[in-house]
């Protein structure tokens, strides 16, 4: 007891680094009490005196002292005016030594500390640090890191988290040999689905089909749950006295509209924003242009079909000079004498327009006329492909009516009634999504053409005009 009294007489900073664990533990407890009493504004310098000890406390080799150290660090984070300067090393220590600790109290307090560090300004850096734990050697450490990320997402949502690196990191725990790790990966993915909705699906396409089907079953269950809400507020939100926001409409912006909260959580998020751009030209065989120009329709079909399969797996595409050549060649195949080849070419163009977006716009003018002409086909698979592709063209052109106006009038006055009807259908779909109202002159031109369509001798044209 006398020795302990002597230890307690030592300065606090000296006891924090003492070789006797009980001395350190008592020092951690004393520090926690002191930190809670300090005034962050008037005594800010006092907090900085202890910053160098923070990561050492969470890494303490003694379990009892380590738990006390985590609580002391939590007191620092809660009260310090600038608790983020040592955040990276604190998170690294928690991930490496605390989340999978033997003591339940240590595991619980370390998770709470991660939430506190997230609350300070944004959870993004904390999640980035915890993801490093996905590479841990011990399976229980990996599982604990995955669980910690899930709890951060559950508490704060996805508005403040970098989704792209997080979604990419899911492959590691899903591929782990340990079943507990894979199970926690499923739990995290389901939590992400609560916030993202179907927008998460493209990021999961490389998972084994059996696992993907199992996840889809779990997704269907949570889809019926109430929309998720942010449960913990950031300090900035607390200071502004803001209510917890619902899930965001995209990776970076929130939307508090309660009219369709589930839509905010999922459909409003664009998977294209989360995807990496793919150079589709690198997936083409060396003899691509030779085969696409082959006189044998089966060779043309096979090479375009292979391209289509590659495009289906590539949400976002990269534009380069070679991509333009691919588009132009496909444009020529719209009029292919073989309907299967033509349909595949049209479907490829739809994927290219959707994947490239604005960079595809210059190719609308050169390939849309062939689509208008091809709309005379009555086979439903061709009609559906043309409709999807023309819609993608309009979106790629920024929903600009001037990009499709002349082509609409060409189709609306075509000698074939099927072409006329499909042109009117296309106009209706465009008008439904344009961001701004057309000018008076344009409105009159469209109205006059639609009026002529109402008097067309073909019933299908009249019905399309009336829509």
């Amino acid at each position: 007891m006398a020795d302990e009294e002597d230890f307690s007489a030592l300065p606090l900073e000296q006891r924090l680094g003492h070789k006797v664990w009980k001395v350190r533990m008592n020092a951690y407890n004393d520090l926690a009490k002191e930190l809670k009493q300090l005034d962050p504004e008037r005594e800010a310098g006092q907090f900085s005196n202890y910053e160098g000890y923070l990561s050492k406390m969470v890494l303490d080799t003694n379990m009892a002292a380590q738990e006390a150290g985590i609580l002391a660090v939590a007191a620092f984070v809660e009260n310090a005016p600038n608790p983020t300067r040592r955040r990276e090393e604190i998170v690294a220590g928690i991930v490496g030594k605390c989340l999978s600790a033997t003591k339940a109290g240590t595991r619980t307090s370390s998770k709470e500390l991660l939430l506190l560090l997230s609350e300070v300004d944004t959870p993004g850096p904390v999640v980035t640090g915890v993801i490093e734990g996905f590479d841990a050697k011990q399976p229980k450490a990996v599982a604990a890191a995955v669980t910690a990320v899930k709890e951060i997402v559950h508490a704060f949502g996805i508005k403040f988290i970098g989704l792209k690196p997080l979604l990419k990191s899911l492959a590691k725990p899903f591929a782990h040999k340990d079943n507990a790790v894979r199970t926690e990966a499923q739990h995290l993915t389901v939590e992400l689905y609560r916030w993202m909705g179907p927008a998460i699906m493209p990021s999961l396409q490389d998972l084994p089909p059996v696992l993907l089907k199992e996840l889809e079953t779990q997704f269907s269950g949570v889809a019926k749950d109430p929309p998720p809400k942010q449960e913990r507020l950031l300090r900035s939100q607390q200071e502004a006295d803001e209510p917890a926001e619902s899930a965001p409409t995209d990776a970076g912006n929130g939307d508090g509209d309660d009219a369709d909260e589930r839509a905010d959580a999922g459909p409003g998020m664009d998977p294209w924003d989360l995807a990496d751009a793919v150079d589709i030209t690198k997936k083409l065989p060396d003899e691509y242009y030779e085969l696409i120009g082959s006189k044998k329709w089966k060779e043309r079909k096979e090479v375009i079909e292979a391209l289509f399969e590659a495009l289906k797996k590539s949400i976002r595409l990269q534009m380069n000079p070679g991509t333009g050549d691919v588009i132009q060649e496909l444009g020529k195949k719209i009029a292919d004498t073989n309907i299967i080849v033509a349909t595949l070419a049209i479907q490829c163009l739809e994927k290219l327009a959707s994947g490239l977006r604005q960079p595809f716009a210059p190719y609308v003018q050169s390939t849309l006329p062939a689509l208008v002409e091809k709309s005379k086909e009555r086979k439903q698979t061709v009609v559906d492909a043309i409709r999807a592709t023309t819609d993608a063209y309009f979106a790629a052109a920024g929903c600009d009516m001037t990009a499709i106006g002349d082509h609409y009038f060409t189709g609306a006055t075509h000698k074939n009634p099927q072409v006329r009807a499909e042109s009117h259908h296309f106009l209706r779909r465009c008008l439904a999504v344009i961001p701004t109202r057309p000018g008076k002159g344009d409105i009159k031109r469209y109205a006059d053409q639609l009026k002529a369509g109402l008097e067309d001798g073909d019933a299908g044209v009249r019905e399309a005009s009336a829509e």
Side-chain angles (χ1 to χ4, degrees):
M1 291 296 294
D3 288 343
E4 290 184 8
E5 290 175 6
D6 290 339
F7 290 144
S8 64
L10 294 174
L12 178 58
E13 292 184 40
Q14 188 173 341
R15 288 189 287 131
L16 289 172
H18 203 279
K19 63 181 180 179
V20 178
W21 71 267
K22 284 187 178 181
V23 177
R24 296 196 305 274
M25 182 180 69
N26 291 331
Y28 298 159
N29 292 331
D30 291 344
L31 176 61
K33 295 176 184 177
E34 180 179 327
L35 292 171
K36 292 176 182 179
Q37 296 173 353
L38 291 176
D39 187 318
E41 295 183 2
R42 292 183 299 177
E43 300 174 291
Q46 289 290 96
F47 287 94
S48 62
N49 292 336
Y50 302 115
E51 285 186 352
Y53 297 95
L54 300 177
S55 60
K56 296 177 182 178
M57 287 191 275
V58 299
L59 291 172
D60 200 295
T61 55
N62 180 272
M63 291 188 294
Q66 181 186 43
E67 186 173 357
I70 293 171
L71 295 176
V73 175
F76 180 91
V77 174
E78 283 185 301
N79 297 281
N82 185 13
T84 61
R85 283 187 292 203
R86 301 281 181 159
R87 177 167 54 189
E88 185 176 348
E89 56 192 72
I90 294 172
V91 171
I94 294 171
V95 172
K97 295 292 183 180
C98 303
L99 290 178
S100 58
T102 302
K103 292 191 69 176
T106 299
R107 297 194 301 271
T108 301
S109 57
S110 62
K111 290 177 184 177
E112 176 60 24
L113 179 52
L114 288 176
L115 294 172
L116 286 171
L117 287 165
S118 300
E119 194 177 279
V120 170
D121 54 2
T122 175
V126 178
V127 171
T128 299
V130 179
I131 287 175
E132 295 296 320
F134 291 8
D135 292 319
K137 293 182 179 180
Q138 293 294 327
K140 66 176 183 178
V142 181
V146 176
T147 302
V149 173
K150 182 200 70 177
E151 294 187 7
I152 294 172
V153 172
H154 184 82
F156 297 98
I158 56 175
K159 178 177 180 180
F160 310 100
I161 296 172
L163 279 176
K164 287 180 68 173
L166 174 55
L167 292 172
K168 286 182 180 179
S169 70
L170 291 175
K172 293 180 180 179
F174 271 125
H176 205 281
K177 295 180 180 180
D178 188 86
N179 183 61
V181 174
R182 297 195 303 273
T183 299
E184 289 304 321
Q186 289 192 39
H187 294 163
L188 170 57
T189 306
V190 171
E191 180 63 36
L192 286 168
Y193 179 86
R194 291 178 65 240
W195 294 90
M196 295 177 63
I200 195 176
M201 296 308 298
S203 301
L204 306 177
Q205 294 310 303
D206 290 335
L207 294 178
V210 175
L211 175 57
L212 187 57
K213 187 173 182 179
E214 185 177 343
L215 284 170
E216 288 173 345
T217 300
Q218 296 182 56
F219 293 163
S220 64
V222 299
K224 302 173 184 177
D225 294 342
K229 292 281 189 179
Q230 184 182 336
E231 294 184 354
R232 291 182 69 138
L233 300 180
L234 305 181
R235 282 191 183 180
S236 58
Q237 293 173 315
Q238 294 171 15
E239 292 168 359
D241 195 26
E242 293 179 359
E245 295 181 13
S246 57
T249 54
D250 57 45
N253 298 296
D255 190 337
D257 186 4
D258 293 331
D260 193 354
E261 291 173 323
R262 177 61 67 184
D264 287 345
M269 177 175 289
D270 191 346
W272 191 88
D273 292 325
L274 303 174
D276 291 325
V278 174
D279 183 356
I280 201 65
T281 63
K282 292 184 178 179
K283 299 181 180 295
L284 300 177
D286 293 338
E287 64 276 18
Y288 173 78
Y289 290 102
E290 178 184 343
L291 292 172
I292 200 172
S294 173
K295 293 181 179 180
K296 298 179 180 180
W297 74 269
K298 285 189 177 180
E299 291 186 347
R300 301 197 302 275
K301 168 188 171 293
E302 288 173 359
V303 75
I304 298 176
E305 193 171 41
L307 172 60
F308 181 58
E309 291 301 318
L311 288 168
K312 285 197 298 185
K313 298 176 182 178
S314 307
I315 301 172
R316 186 171 185 168
L317 300 174
Q318 178 183 327
M319 189 66 179
N320 60 36
T323 313
D325 294 337
V326 173
I327 295 170
Q328 296 290 23
E329 285 298 318
L330 289 170
K332 296 175 184 177
K333 297 306 169 188
I334 295 173
D336 197 283
T337 54
N338 184 279
I339 196 64
I340 299 175
V341 172
T343 303
L344 283 169
I346 293 168
Q347 291 173 325
C348 285
L349 286 167
E350 185 265 325
K351 295 298 181 184
L352 283 160
S354 300
L356 290 168
R357 299 197 174 179
Q358 191 278 329
F360 185 91
Y363 299 92
V364 169
Q365 299 301 322
S366 61
T367 56
L368 185 53
L371 288 171
V372 173
E373 184 66 28
K374 197 67 174 180
S375 62
K376 63 186 176 184
E377 292 287 346
R378 292 188 173 275
K379 195 172 182 180
Q380 193 59 45
T381 53
V382 182
V383 172
D384 291 343
I386 292 173
R387 288 176 177 175
T389 303
T390 51
D391 288 351
Y393 274 30
F394 189 58
C399 296
D400 183 357
M401 292 298 292
T402 61
I404 61 98
D406 291 341
H407 303 292
Y408 159 71
F409 288 109
T410 298
T413 56
H414 197 277
K415 63 181 180 181
N416 187 296
Q418 174 80 3
V419 176
R420 298 199 297 274
E422 284 302 315
S423 295
H424 292 316
H425 286 311
F426 181 37
L427 177 64
R428 174 186 57 78
R429 298 196 303 273
C430 292
L431 291 173
V433 297
I434 54 173
T436 57
R437 183 178 178 179
K440 291 183 179 180
D442 290 330
I443 292 175
K444 186 178 186 307
R445 289 181 67 208
Y446 292 125
D448 289 344
Q449 188 60 59
L450 290 170
K451 182 178 179 181
L454 293 172
E455 299 172 355
D456 196 282
D458 184 88
V461 177
R462 294 196 298 273
E463 290 176 6
S465 299
E467 290 181 356

